[in-house]
C-alpha cells in the first residue's frame, strides 16, 4: 500500500471496536458550527451528569462506589465518540482494554473497600505520542502506523498505578510541531465551539512546545505547562529527539484547576524520577503551594504583558486581560505592566535550535511521506518558521553558540524579574506574569503563521511554568472605540464563540506557586461574573 | 609581548601584594617530597590552631568573637602562601580586598552582636574560573590574563552574603579540562603529600567534569560533586560554553563532611535559583537528609563497584574499598557488589559530545597559545581522548543523536538501580554505590591518559551526585599476595604517601541523602581506626 492508502485505511477502521449504540447516525449538518451543546442531545441524564462533573466530585463519587468505574468510563466513552464524530479529535480508541481495567478497579474497591489511588476510576485521554503497550503511537507520521508500542510510557504506568483509566488517545499533527490537528492521517481536528476554527494551532511549527496551552486556549479549558523535566516523558515517542535545549513537556488539560492540581500532585507522589532519570527529584511542596515565596498570597502583584512587542493581540484577547486586571484589583491585588523584552530574539533562538536538525530528523522519521503543506511552508522570506523542509548546515559548535544565546536570555530574564522589586510595592519582585496564550482566539483551519504560538513559546525557551485560564468567549462586538479603530483588520465574526483565555506565568520549577496563584486569579475572575 | 612573556610576567608578580613576612625564605629542598607538615614549622601556634580547626569549630569561634575575621583570614593567608611556595597551588592573591572584607565583618559583629551569615568570617578559596570583580579569571588561557572580571559570579555574591571571605583563587589548567594543574601559565601544581605527584589529574582532558573529585582524591580531602544545576555557575568563565548536555559543576572541597554540608546547605539557603535561572528551584530538604527514601538510614545496603570493567584499580585503591566494606559491615550495614555497565560506552558518549566542538572552542578562546602537550595529545590511535587539537565535522543533527545515546544510558541506569531491589534484602534498591574516585592514587606529573578520571566521569554523564571520602594513604607494601601477583606493573614506591579515597554515589538530585550516607560511611571508617 502507498502511504496515502495506509492513512485512509487507518481512518476507515477507527470506530470498528466501538459498540454501535455509541455511534450517532443523526449528526448535525456540517454548516452547524457551534456543536458544544450537541452531545447532550444524545446522552442520558446520568451520562451528562457524570461527564460534566468537576474532577473532585467525580473522584469522590467513584471512591464512595456511588458510580462504578465501568459506568463512568462508559459515559465518557459515549461523549468522546460523539465528540470524535463532530470534531475528529481522537486517534486510538480501545474500549475493551479500558473497560476491563475499569472492572478491575470496581472489583478492587468492592473487595478491599479502598481505592487504588487518588485517581481511582478517572477516565483520562492521552495525547497520541504517549505510548500504551500494544497500541499505535504515531507522531502524525503515516509510516509509524501499525507499529504498536512495546511497552507503556512511564506516565501511563504512573497514571494506572494512581487508579486512572486511559480510554482514548487524541490527535496530534505531523511531527507534533503543528499542535494536534494537521497530519496526513485524514481530517484535521475542529474546534467544538466553532467547527470552522482549529482546536489547537496550525501554527506553522510551534505546536509541540505550546501544545498544552494552545489547545487549552482555543478550546477554552484549563491547561498547565510545567517546567521541563517534572512530568515523565520517558517511553513516549517524539520528534527532534536529542534536541535537549528547548524540549516539549507533558502537562494536564482539565475543566477545572482542581483537575490540574490533582493530576500534577498525584503524578509527583509516585516519585517519577525513580523511573525517568530526566525528571527532577522534587516532591510536591505544600509550602510552595501555600505561597511562602509570595508573602503567603495575601496581596500579590501581577504584571500584565499586554503584547510581546511583536504582535498586537486581537480585541477579544485584550478584553480577557482587562477583565482579569479588573477582577484582580477588585480582589485587592496589585496589577502593573510587564514590558516585553527581546521576544523576537527569543523566537529566533528556539527556531535556530530546532531547525539545526529538523530536516534530517523529519526525513528519517517520516519518509516517504512529505512535509505537509500546513507545517509552515509559507513563502521563503517569511521569518520565524519551523522549516523541516529546508536542509540545515549547522555544526555542533554552532549549535553550542545558540545554546549560549538561550542561556544569556534566561539570565537576562532572571535579572529583569529580580529588578521588578522596585515597581511592585510589595517588597517582592512581581509574583507572576499574566499574558495572552495566543494573540488570537482560535483561528480558522489552515491559518498558518508563526505568530499564533509566539507569546507562549517564549516561556518555553525561558522554561517558565504557565497555566491557561479561560476567561470569556468571542462575541460579535467591539468593546471600545479604540478596538474598532485600532484593529480594523480584525473580524470578530470569524472567531465567533471562540474562547478567550489568559495565562499565568511563574518562574522555573515554581509549579506549585503557579497553581496557587492561578486559583487566586480564577477565583477573582469568577467573583466578577 | 608574546603570549609566553605575558605568562612569565604574570607569574613573576604573583606575590607582589603579599606582606614580606608571610613569605618563607627557608624552603625545603625540592628533593623533599612530602611537605604536608612543613607549614607548621613556620606558623605560630595560633595560626596552626586556626588553620587546622574543623569548620564548625572555626565558625563558632568566629561567631563568638573569640577569633576575629581579620585574625582568621591572616592565619589562612600565611598558610596558603607557604603552600603556594611549596606546591604552586594559587593563581590570584588579593590580600587588601580580603582583609578589608574581614574587617567589615568584625565591625558588624561588634556593632550588632550578630553574624552576617552562617559562614561569618570563614576564609574560602575559589577556583580561578569563579569571577571576582576586578580580578583576573582565566581558564588557564594566557590570552585571558589582564582582563579582570566586570562583576562577581553569582556564587561569590552568595558566599559573601553568607559571611565568607574569599581570599585566594586556585590553579586551573588550560581549558579547565586537565583538572587544575597544567597550563601555559608556568608551573604545575604539586601534591603536598608527594611533590613528584600531581595534585589533581593531568588526565588528558577529563579534568573539568571530575574536577572536584580528582583533586579531592589525589590530595586526600573531602570533595562533593553535586548534580548539575544545584550550585550556581552563572558569571563564571568556562570552556565549551553552550555544551549543555554534560556540564561541569561547582562543589566544595573541605577537610570535613561538616564543611561540605555547611557549604551546600548555606548556598541553597540563599535561593540561588533567583539569581541563576539554570539552578533548580529545590531547597535543602531535611527530610531527604534524614534519609526518608532510605529507610531512615537504619540498615543501608551499599553496592561496591570494585572496577568499571575497563580499568583494574591499583592495589591501594582496592585496599581503600576493602577497608570501607569491612567498616560498613562492622557498623551493621549490608554490602553487595555493583556490576559495571557500559562504562566504555559512557566514556565514548561524553567524549563525542565534548569533541563535537572543542577544537573551534579552543581556537576562539586561546589563540595564539597552542593546545599544550599535556592536554591529551597521545598517539592518534589512543582511544577516549579529549582532543581540542582535532577538527570536528559533527553536525547539529549528529550531536542530537549522541544526546539520545546519553539519555538512553541514563534510562538504563535508572532501571538497573530500580532492579537492584531484588538483591539488597532491604526492600529497597541499593542505597548508594561506592567506588574508586580514580583507579590510581595521585600519579606523577605529566602522566597522561584518559583512564585517570574515567570512573568518576561516568557519574557526570549520568549526573549522579558523588562524594569523595579519604580513607588511607599509600605505603610501600602489598597487603595481599594477590595484590603482589596480580599487579606486578604497579610500583607503590612511586605513589608513596598519596591519599587513598573512595566515593559515595547517589541518584540524580539526591545530594542531601548522599551527604547523610557519606557521614554514615565516614563514621564507620573512623570507628575502625
Amino acid at each position: 500500500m502507498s502511504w496515502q492508502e495506509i492513512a485512509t485505511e487507518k481512518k476507515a477502521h477507527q470506530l470498528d471496536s466501538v459498540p454501535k449504540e455509541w455511534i450517532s447516525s443523526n449528526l448535525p449538518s456540517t454548516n452547524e458550527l457551534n456543536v458544544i451543546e450537541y452531545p447532550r442531545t444524545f446522552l442520558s441524564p446520568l451520562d451528562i451528569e457524570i461527564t460534566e462533573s468537576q474532577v473532585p466530585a467525580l473522584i469522590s463519587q467513584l471512591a464512595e462506589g456511588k458510580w462504578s468505574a465501568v459506568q463512568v468510563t462508559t459515559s465518557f466513552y459515549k461523549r468522546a465518540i460523539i465528540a470524535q464524530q463532530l470534531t475528529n479529535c481522537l486517534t486510538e480508541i480501545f474500549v475493551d482494554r479500558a473497560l476491563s481495567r475499569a472492572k478491575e478497579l470496581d472489583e478492587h474497591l468492592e473487595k478491599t473497600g479502598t481505592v487504588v489511588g487518588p485517581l481511582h476510576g478517572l477516565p483520562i485521554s492521552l495525547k497520541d505520542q504517549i505510548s500504551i503497550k500494544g497500541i499505535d503511537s504515531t507522531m502524525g507520521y503515516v509510516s509509524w502506523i501499525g507499529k504498536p508500542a512495546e511497552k507503556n510510557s512511564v506516565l501511563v504506568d504512573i497514571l494506572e498505578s494512581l487508579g486512572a483509566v486511559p480510554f482514548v488517545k487524541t490527535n496530534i499533527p505531523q511531527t507534533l510541531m503543528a499542535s494536534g490537528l494537521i497530519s496526513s492521517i485524514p481530517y484535521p481536528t475542529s474546534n467544538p465551539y466553532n467547527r470552522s476554527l482549529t482546536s489547537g494551532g496550525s501554527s506553522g511549527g510551534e505546536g509541540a512546545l505550546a501544545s498544552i496551552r494552545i489547545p487549552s486556549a482555543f478550546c477554552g479549558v484549563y491547561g498547565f505547562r510545567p517546567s521541563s523535566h517534572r512530568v515523565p516523558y520517558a517511553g513516549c515517542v517524539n520528534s527532534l529527539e536529542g534536541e535537549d535545549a528547548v524540549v516539549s513537556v507533558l502537562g494536564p488539560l482539565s475543566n477545572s484547576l482542581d483537575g490540574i492540581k490533582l493530576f500534577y500532585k498525584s503524578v509527583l507522589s509516585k516519585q517519577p524520577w525513580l523511573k525517568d532519570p530526566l525528571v527532577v527529584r522534587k516532591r510536591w511542596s505544600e509550602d510552595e503551594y501555600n505561597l511562602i515565596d509570595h508573602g503567603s498570597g495575601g496581596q500579590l502583584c501581577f504584571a500584565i504583558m499586554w503584547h510581546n512587542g511583536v504582535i498586537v493581540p486581537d480585541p477579544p484577547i485584550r478584553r480577557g486581560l482587562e477583565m482579569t486586571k479588573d477582577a484582580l484589583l477588585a480582589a485587592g491585588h496589585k496589577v502593573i505592566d510587564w514590558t516585553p523584552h527581546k521576544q523576537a530574539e527569543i523566537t529566533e533562538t528556539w527556531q535556530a535550535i530546532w531547525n539545526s536538525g529538523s530536516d534530517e530528523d523529519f526525513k528519517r522519521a517520516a519518509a516517504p511521506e512529505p512535509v505537509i503543506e500546513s507545517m509552515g511552508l509559507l513563502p521563503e522570506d517569511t521569518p520565524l518558521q519551523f522549516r523541516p523542509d529546508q536542509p540545515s548546515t549547522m555544526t555542533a559548535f554552532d549549535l553550542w553558540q545558540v545554546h549560549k544565546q538561550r542561556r544569556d536570555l534566561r539570565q537576562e530574564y532572571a535579572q529583569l524579574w529580580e529588578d521588578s522589586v522596585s515597581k511592585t510595592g510589595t517588597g517582592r519582585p512581581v509574583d507572576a506574569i499574566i499574558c495572552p496564550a495566543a494573540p488570537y482566539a482560535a483561528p480558522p483551519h489552515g491559518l498558518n503563521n508563526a505568530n499564533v504560538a509566539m507569546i507562549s513559546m517564549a516561556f518555553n525557551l525561558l522554561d517558565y511554568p504557565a497555566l491557561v485560564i479561560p476567561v470569556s468567549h468571542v462575541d460579535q462586538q467591539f468593546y471600545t472605540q479604540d478596538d474598532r479603530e485600532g484593529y480594523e483588520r480584525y473580524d470578530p465574526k470569524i472567531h465567533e464563540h471562540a474562547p478567550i483565555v489568559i495565562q499565568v506565568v511563574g518562574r522555573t520549577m515554581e509549579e506549585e506557586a503557579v497553581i496557587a496563584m492561578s486559583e487566586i486569579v480564577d477565583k477573582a475572575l469568577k467573583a466578577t461574573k
Side-chain angles (χ1 to χ4, degrees), chain A:
Chain A
M1 280 199 286
S2 70
W3 65 263
Q4 293 92 336
E5 289 165 334
I6 294 171
T8 311
E9 177 82 1
K10 169 89 180 175
K11 192 70 195 170
H13 293 284
Q14 198 183 29
L15 295 182
D16 282 3
S17 75
V18 175
K20 297 235 160 20
E21 62 272 22
W22 297 356
I23 300 174
S24 162
S25 53
N26 186 24
L27 292 172
S29 134
T30 50
N31 295 332
E32 215 164 303
L33 297 182
N34 186 343
V35 294
I36 199 76
E37 301 291 341
Y38 215 84
R40 289 190 179 157
T41 63
F42 291 98
L43 297 172
S44 72
L46 180 58
D47 289 335
I48 294 172
E49 188 185 353
I50 287 174
T51 55
E52 296 187 3
S53 291
Q54 298 282 298
V55 174
L58 191 51
I59 288 292
S60 122
Q61 294 287 77
L62 281 158
E64 291 165 23
K66 291 185 184 158
W67 292 335
S68 72
V70 167
Q71 171 66 61
V72 169
T73 303
T74 303
S75 296
F76 271 89
Y77 260 130
K78 288 186 192 166
R79 191 156 192 146
I81 298 302
I82 298 165
Q84 168 66 1
Q85 293 184 275
L86 295 168
T87 67
N88 190 46
C89 52
L90 305 181
T91 56
E92 304 292 332
I93 301 162
F94 31 93
V95 179
D96 290 348
R97 186 187 189 283
L99 285 182
S100 131
R101 173 64 180 151
K103 192 153 170 278
E104 278 172 23
L105 292 168
D106 287 336
E107 287 165 0
H108 176 95
L109 181 61
E110 194 172 351
K111 201 186 300 174
T112 66
T114 59
V115 295
V116 162
L119 307 184
H120 188 100
L122 187 70
I124 191 160
S125 61
L126 298 170
K127 198 174 172 186
D128 194 59
Q129 64 169 150
I130 300 173
S131 294
I132 299 178
K133 187 178 170 181
I135 295 172
D136 276 5
S137 281
T138 76
M139 289 301 298
Y141 300 133
V142 176
S143 61
W144 292 18
I145 290 174
K147 296 174 181 165
E150 287 173 14
K151 56 180 195 174
N152 286 347
S153 294
V154 167
L155 184 60
V156 170
D157 281 341
I158 286 178
L159 289 170
E160 295 199 325
S161 73
L162 291 164
V165 182
F167 77 119
V168 290
K169 298 221 296 185
T170 57
N171 208 355
I172 56 176
Q174 190 190 53
T175 77
L176 201 69
M177 297 304 166
S179 71
L181 57 162
I182 306 281
S183 81
S184 302
I185 303 168
Y187 316 124
T189 301
S190 297
N191 193 308
Y193 285 100
N194 182 333
R195 291 196 290 173
S196 71
L197 307 178
T198 172
S199 63
S202 187
S203 52
E206 292 83 345
L209 288 204
S211 70
I212 297 155
R213 287 163 293 162
I214 298 301
S216 295
F218 291 176
C219 298
V221 297
Y222 296 86
F224 185 36
R225 185 243 173 230
S227 307
S228 52
H229 306 306
R230 296 218 64 186
V231 173
Y233 219 108
C236 297
V237 297
N238 208 346
S239 58
L240 309 191
E241 285 194 292
E243 189 295 281
D244 292 344
V246 184
V247 299
S248 67
V249 302
L250 301 178
L253 286 79
S254 175
N255 65 357
S256 72
L257 280 173
D258 291 323
I260 300 284
K261 181 184 168 193
L262 181 66
F263 170 91
Y264 190 73
K265 189 174 171 177
S266 303
V267 169
L268 290 189
S269 77
K270 290 289 177 178
Q271 302 186 264
W273 45 86
L274 298 178
K275 308 286 184 182
D276 180 350
L278 273 60
V279 174
V280 171
R281 189 185 195 95
K282 185 178 175 186
R283 290 176 159 77
W284 169 268
S285 164
E286 203 64 25
D287 280 347
E288 292 194 35
Y289 177 69
N290 288 326
L291 297 176
I292 47 165
D293 292 328
H294 300 273
S296 301
Q299 185 185 43
L300 298 172
C301 180
F302 295 91
I304 295 185
M305 188 172 90
W306 298 91
H307 61 85
N308 68 353
V310 180
I311 306 157
V312 180
D314 277 353
I317 304 299
R318 190 175 169 88
R319 175 160 64 93
L321 294 172
E322 298 277 13
M323 288 169 69
T324 308
K325 178 177 178 175
D326 292 346
L328 288 170
L329 291 174
H333 300 289
K334 294 186 152 194
V335 179
I336 63 175
D337 293 338
W338 182 270
T339 308
H341 179 72
K342 294 194 180 174
Q343 295 272 314
E345 287 88 331
I346 288 175
T347 304
E348 283 161 15
T349 302
W350 70 256
Q351 285 181 325
I353 290 172
W354 279 15
N355 284 330
S356 69
S358 59
D359 62 319
E360 192 61 31
D361 184 80
F362 181 82
K363 263 184 268 170
R364 296 201 193 184
E369 179 187 350
V371 173
I372 61 181
E373 192 73 15
S374 53
M375 278 301 298
L377 306 191
L378 295 185
E380 292 227 351
D381 58 349
T382 307
L384 313 178
Q385 289 294 309
F386 175 62
R387 303 296 308 230
D389 56 320
Q390 293 187 357
S392 162
T393 55
M394 195 182 272
T395 66
F397 179 78
D398 295 336
L399 181 59
W400 292 2
Q401 307 320 300
V402 191
H403 288 169
K404 274 170 68 175
Q405 281 176 36
R406 170 175 180 258
R407 182 201 61 190
D408 293 345
L409 286 164
R410 292 182 69 185
Q411 188 67 46
E412 278 181 55
Y413 264 79
Q415 194 63 50
L416 280 179
W417 209 306
E418 286 296 278
D419 290 348
S420 71
V421 68
S422 66
K423 296 174 199 157
T424 59
T426 60
R428 298 186 305 277
V430 159
D431 292 297
I433 296 172
I434 288 176
C435 64
Y440 323 133
H445 289 295
L447 174 79
N448 199 341
N449 72 58
N451 291 339
V452 174
M454 188 180 176
I455 296 174
S456 283
M457 284 293 303
F459 301 117
N460 289 67
L461 184 120
L462 298 169
D463 204 18
Y464 288 162
L467 204 152
V468 168
I469 297 178
V471 177
S472 186
H473 289 79
V474 177
D475 52 27
Q476 290 203 30
Q477 48 179 305
F478 287 114
Y479 278 76
T480 67
Q481 186 60 20
D482 190 46
D483 277 354
R484 180 176 303 280
E485 288 170 5
Y487 300 92
E488 280 181 2
R489 62 155 191 81
Y490 170 73
D491 181 355
K493 196 169 174 186
I494 290 176
H495 300 277
E496 194 181 13
H497 304 306
I500 300 170
V501 308
I502 53 105
Q503 64 179 324
V504 177
V505 181
R507 288 194 266 188
T508 311
M509 294 275 159
E510 205 183 13
E511 281 71 23
E512 292 89 334
V514 168
I515 291 174
M517 291 191 283
S518 296
E519 289 170 349
I520 288 170
V521 176
D522 195 48
K523 198 175 151 197
L525 278 164
K526 284 176 175 155
T528 63
K529 278 171 192 168

